[in-house]
Amino acid sequence: MDPDNRVPHHETPSLGNPDLPPEGMENIAGDPASTRMTGPRNPVLESQFPSAVTAPGTDISTQPFFWSSFNISPRRQQRGGWAREVTQQDFAISDEIAGVNMYLEPGGIRELHWHQTAEWAYMSRGRCRITTLSREGLPSVDDVESGDLWFFPAGLPHSLQGLGPDGAEFVLAFDDGEQSESNTLLLTDWFAHTPPDVLAKNFGVAQEAFKDIPLHNLWIFPGDEPGELEDDQAAAGVEWGATNPVIFRLSRSQPRYQNSGGSIRIADSKNYTASKTVAAALTIIEPGSMRELHWHPNADEWQYYLQGTGRMTVFNTGPHANTTDFNAGDVGLVRRNLGHYVENTGDVPLIYLETFRSDHYEEVSLANWLSHLPPKLVSQHLNIPEDVLATFPRGAQGIVPLR
Ligand code: MN
Ligand code: MN
């Protein structure tokens, strides 16, 4: 590639310049001097964001950044595990969801705690033992593994512990963009900041019982791997069927959409009754295939890219349309009602999560809309003959397979 005269990284055909006043790659065709890059350059970043320097000809600037990444978030490392987060403080557009990516070594414990917001989680690797209490004060102790979810309503206490042999790695979605993993109510903090005579009175033991409590919180710390799940459940007083299930096996659930291009699995309060404030979709897109053009009327979409590489254009009022590239560990945000697609631009399956601050999943498919209108009406808008419109998909298909 000529460093001073970039050629487009990918083919992005357009039908002409859609923008007035003229701007964008289509407008500068035939005038290569105008693309000359004289600004500072970072070839490594540019290689990951081909759409940033050379956007598709259909893009028109600009709108708030909708890309962030756990890969640029400082990792909080402690004995027992680590965490990194993307909150609204660093990702301004995301006011409904904040995200955390955490690892717990085998036996590693995320300290008993609670917080002001609900916690939704997707297990990406390994196994984890979780404990919580229901609103009725009834306990749950469960083991989750890769592909499973948990949901803790705001204010309900919980703990997480990595299990062998690989520990646990997961992503948390809080239902408030300002929630931080460093902003939680910790068991050890409360003990250390309560007069010992009050602790003694509360628990009916001598003050000396508290002489060795930690004076600094633990947050994440190494622990002994727990024994059999059934033993822990019995010890905690779990009664089977007493509470709604806290966990959901998302990757084992029936897909909403499935074809040769991939699949979409939905978990919301309809099939996962515990999850009252976060709905989610686990999306797998095969190379060259695409999440179809659509939007979501009910909530912003907070995305977490687990594997592969993808490209998304967000269509906004104005009009504004911006294309950004995503890699594993990245986070995306699409405001409610803004049109988008996600295309697999790599050679391995693209896997990402869509989460929404809502009790239910909702979408409008462009293909479904256009196929449920009088054809003559659509034809007059787009100058596409009715016989061609008749070959459009007759409804939502979720994923468009590579043809
Ligand atoms: Mn928590
Ligand atoms: Mn979407």
Side-chain angles (χ1 to χ4, degrees):
M1 182 173 68
D2 179 345
D4 288 331
N5 187 10
R6 254 190 100 85
V7 293
H9 179 269
H10 41 65
E11 289 295 312
T12 56
S14 79
L15 299 166
N17 185 356
D19 308 328
L20 285 173
E23 73 166 77
M25 290 305 294
E26 183 67 31
N27 185 57
I28 52 87
D31 183 13
S34 66
T35 69
R36 189 180 178 87
M37 270 294 291
T38 58
R41 302 184 72 166
N42 181 329
V44 175
L45 275 179
E46 281 187 27
S47 71
Q48 299 220 341
F49 299 94
S51 307
V53 175
T54 307
T58 43
D59 270 25
I60 178 166
S61 293
T62 186
Q63 56 186 316
F65 272 26
F66 51 84
W67 177 95
S68 188
S69 183
F70 289 115
N71 292 312
I72 59 168
S73 166
R75 227 166 26 133
R76 176 172 173 172
Q77 301 181 66
Q78 296 192 192
R79 291 189 64 220
W82 53 257
R84 49 188 186 172
E85 65 183 4
V86 176
T87 71
Q88 194 186 5
Q89 198 163 22
D90 308 299
F91 190 33
I93 193 173
S94 187
D95 59 0
E96 295 185 349
I97 302 267
V100 175
N101 177 211
M102 186 180 288
Y103 167 76
L104 299 171
E105 67 180 13
I109 297 171
R110 173 63 175 95
E111 167 175 4
L112 287 158
H113 71 281
W114 69 103
H115 30 76
Q116 312 285 0
T117 61
E119 171 178 321
W120 177 98
Y122 175 84
M123 279 289 293
S124 37
R125 199 158 286 109
R127 297 164 58 234
C128 192
R129 181 157 303 173
I130 65 171
T131 74
T132 189
L133 215 54
S134 74
R135 289 192 196 288
E136 296 74 32
L138 299 172
S140 291
V141 180
D142 285 297
D143 285 354
V144 285
E145 59 186 43
S146 180
D148 293 348
L149 310 180
W150 70 73
F151 184 82
F152 303 136
L156 297 186
H158 50 275
S159 68
L160 315 168
Q161 185 170 22
L163 301 174
D166 301 319
E169 194 223 312
F170 45 86
V171 66
L172 308 178
F174 296 117
D175 64 355
D176 184 327
E178 292 182 355
Q179 178 68 53
S180 164
E181 258 302 318
S182 300
N183 183 21
T184 60
L185 296 142
L186 301 168
L187 176 70
T188 54
D189 273 345
W190 202 12
F191 268 66
H193 294 276
T194 301
D197 61 317
V198 172
L199 289 174
K201 190 182 289 183
N202 192 70
F203 294 107
V205 296
Q207 281 190 41
E208 290 68 45
F210 305 101
K211 67 178 170 39
D212 292 328
I213 63 167
L215 298 181
H216 303 285
N217 70 61
L218 299 168
W219 201 64
I220 289 175
F221 65 103
D224 298 329
E225 261 200 77
E228 291 298 315
L229 175 63
E230 291 73 19
D231 295 342
D232 266 9
Q233 289 173 327
V238 172
E239 289 178 48
W240 194 86
T243 62
N244 268 345
V246 170
I247 65 172
F248 184 75
R249 315 271 186 205
L250 177 60
S251 64
R252 294 188 221 167
S253 68
Q254 196 64 31
R256 165 92 55 104
Y257 299 104
Q258 187 164 34
N259 58 43
S260 62
S263 62
I264 303 175
R265 289 176 166 80
I266 307 289
D268 64 13
S269 62
K270 293 190 181 101
N271 58 349
Y272 179 24
T273 54
S275 193
K276 298 282 191 230
T277 61
V278 177
L282 175 63
T283 303
I284 301 174
I285 307 174
E286 295 298 325
S289 297
M290 187 176 88
R291 179 78 175 92
E292 68 173 332
L293 289 160
H294 68 284
W295 68 91
H296 307 276
N298 61 327
D300 294 356
E301 172 178 329
W302 185 92
Q303 305 170 331
Y304 172 53
Y305 288 82
L306 290 146
Q307 176 188 296
T309 55
R311 186 172 78 147
M312 175 169 74
T313 304
V314 173
F315 166 62
N316 202 339
T317 60
H320 297 293
N322 294 94
T323 303
T324 297
D325 303 282
F326 292 88
N327 292 279
D330 290 353
V331 172
L333 195 288
V334 186
R335 288 274 196 200
R336 74 181 64 191
N337 293 320
L338 301 191
H340 55 287
Y341 66 89
V342 178
E343 194 175 15
N344 184 341
T345 52
D347 47 21
V348 298
L350 173 65
I351 304 177
Y352 71 99
L353 281 165
E354 313 170 7
T355 69
F356 306 86
R357 188 172 71 182
S358 176
D359 65 341
H360 68 285
Y361 176 84
E362 202 175 295
E363 66 172 39
V364 176
S365 151
L366 180 61
N368 186 49
W369 182 33
L370 296 186
S371 63
H372 291 91
L373 287 167
K376 190 173 181 183
L377 179 63
V378 180
S379 183
Q380 289 175 94
H381 281 80
L382 298 174
N383 294 328
I384 298 171
E386 289 182 40
D387 60 329
V388 176
L389 287 174
T391 68
F392 279 21
R394 302 296 299 166
Q397 53 182 340
I399 311 282
V400 185
L402 178 66
R403 277 186 272 259

